[in-house]
Amino acid sequence: MFVPRVPTVVSLGQLDDDSAAIDSGPLSPDAPVAQCAHVRLPKVSFAFQEGRHCQRVRSFGELRDLEDWEKRRPDITDVLQPPTVSSDDDLSAAPVDLPEAFAPADEPKSLMEETLLGLWEMCAESGLFRYDVTACETKPVPGLYGFVAQLNEGRATKKRPTEFRVDQVVQPFDEQKFNFLKARVKEVLFQFDAEASGETIFEEDSATGANPGLVLINISPIEYGHVLLVPRVMDRLPQLITEDSMLLALQFAAAAENPYFRVGYNSLGAYATINHLHFQAYFLLAPYPVERAPTMPLEPANSKHPGVKVAQLSEYPVKGFVFEMSSDLQEMAGVLARACTYMQRANIPHNLLICDSGARVFLWPQCYAEKQAKGVVAEDILSTGVDPAAFEIAGHVVLKNRDDYDNMTEARAWRMLSEVSVAEERFQEIARQCLE
Amino acid sequence: MVPPAQVMELRDAIREERACQICLLNYKKSGQKFWDQLYVNPVHDDEGVVTHYIEVHTDVTDVLAKATDGLPVDDVDAIEGVQAVGMEEKKRSMEICSCLADEMGKVSLSAHGACSVLPTSLLQSLTRIQQSLVLVDPNQPDMPIVHAGQGFLQLTGYPREMVIGHNCRFLQGTDTDVKEVAKVRTAITAKPPQPVTATLLNYRYDGTPFWNYLHITPIRGADGGIAYLAGVQVDVTEKGVEGEPGKVSMKHKLLHSGTVGKVKVAVRSLAGGDRGLRREQGSCELPRRGSVDYS
């Protein structure tokens, strides 16, 4: 099953037809990423964040500042030390630690966020992006959910559509097709790997080793700071989630220490166009509609992984899972990887969005591509040209022409996204299988 | 304990600079659990900068129990399904906030609009930037400063009232290199303004000189036009070496571009008319079960 698509150009490597000349000198900015082994590149080594007890106080501010409420609060049946209170009242004086909200003067400093934004801005000044995304009109769509619409005519290209196979989530890596080894070194912002010391550090110039994880710019950005995270680039991994790569993506979200920096993933068949393992991330200073949606606890019960709570979206056009971490990222990565592995084996296209600095992850199975291939999607939805990948499903709709942008309403966005969703019965069946 | 949806609501309210009301599970001195209705209201100084948040807590355990036929006290999930309760309590909280704000001599946002040249939501993001930063309005005659961060005031020693509304040239003095100044002027008066980096000898309020590694870049507004110029100042004076600036490193350049990046992310949230990416007044609450029907 194939659908025609004009793939978004995310890398300079997709624009050039000739390969860069190979030289043995210092790494040229135009050299391909394939030459990035055993050279020197900037590096952000993140402090590996293991466990924190979120206890449902989500990352309002820095993940590491969240209190471990299970430890602090007295057990209702025992008489333990009460929390610090004022002497007058019966009421507690210090209910919730919400550092970010209540201390506007204290900027939570994230070295990774600063480095990412700084290097991204330098790339913008060097003219590496195909257009200035800050010049793209953007607006909230009126309504309770707050869909965000953007008019982005520059993202589309005049290239002829290519046929993409949409009925196979698992496809082998193809050296001939575009992959990130063909991106240019100048698109690389930094290496991104764990650091033993427990403190995030930035080195302007660090040895890459044989197989770095890389953060690259997306030259057709949806928003400011749009980057691509490619784990272990030399391994030529196809676009498939593994526990290791999931953990790296969660660490990436956590390292920004900013709940407005989300990390997304699209499987093949769910609008990924590059079959080389990568995640996407950018800053949007507003909640996504899906982050506002109510949730319902999901049966079966989640006793198999007590550190991760699984719920189902309710009152949202695309049915999906909501994973909420309450103990550690490693466990979260494991649960998510198992769910994605099931979908990969069952050939179900899916999208994933990491929110709340890694504490909350949405996972949606989808069937839009199948509907598109069968020709059953309404013409007015098709003509918007919107490919519903992770960020679109979350509620950030990027439109290619003025009419669609001006006429976007919450009802239209809802209708468009409803086509993406699997039906309720199918969803419950998937739930039974992938949460085992 | 705060359910994630309520945290979202609180974060939204802070970002949208409005009051909000959430319910969380809290503990009394005795250790007893209760439902705490938390009403939060920001207050601003006359520059429009948020200086405080007032929180009013009310025990609404009984009110909720009545509304939900005996809600178990620790059923945090169930709270999401409960419609807005405690309207009386909310009104009382609002009155308390208003009185407190008056006492503090500040402006409560729910009562007045904050008066400032910059949209207050932008101000809120900007005040959190520690690096020395100014925003200049290139569309006004003589390009006045419209925002000066605390970092700038600390670096230069100037009081805010002597900075806002003035052109940056007050930092120049007898030994400032006129060629460097000309380079900056050429770039920022070009149509459209161009990014520029320069190292200038500047003078603090008390007359002491310092080397200002300066980066200025245009910032586009919601309509795609140039709304501001952002200026980031990094002190590169080397201790004991007065005649020359210290060596400029990647760290300094990253301070420049990282700060500019944060400003651009903040300004993007203003895109889309008067209210930016915030929802309209009538839609400022969380979706609940059954609240929308697009079938």
Side-chain angles (χ1 to χ4, degrees), chain A residues 371-408:
Chain A
K371 287 184 180 172
Q372 202 180 348
K374 288 180 177 166
V376 298
V377 180
E379 184 52 42
D380 63 324
I381 295 179
L382 272 182
S383 67
T384 61
V386 172
D387 289 329
F391 297 111
E392 288 78 4
I393 295 176
H396 190 188
V397 185
V398 178
L399 297 153
K400 300 178 177 153
N401 68 63
R402 164 67 57 186
D403 280 340
D404 288 330
Y405 176 76
D406 285 343
N407 298 326
M408 186 50 60

Side-chain angles (χ1 to χ4, degrees), chain A residues 226-270:
Chain A
H226 194 168
V227 294
L228 305 158
L229 171 69
V230 183
R232 292 170 41 217
V233 64
M234 302 301 175
D235 278 355
R236 294 159 166 81
L237 301 166
Q239 184 74 344
L240 293 170
I241 294 278
T242 60
E243 187 169 333
D244 282 346
S245 58
M246 191 69 238
L247 183 59
L248 190 72
L250 289 168
Q251 295 283 352
F252 189 50
E257 301 189 47
N258 184 338
Y260 297 114
F261 182 72
R262 288 77 156 198
V263 181
Y265 170 86
N266 305 312
S267 78
L268 296 177

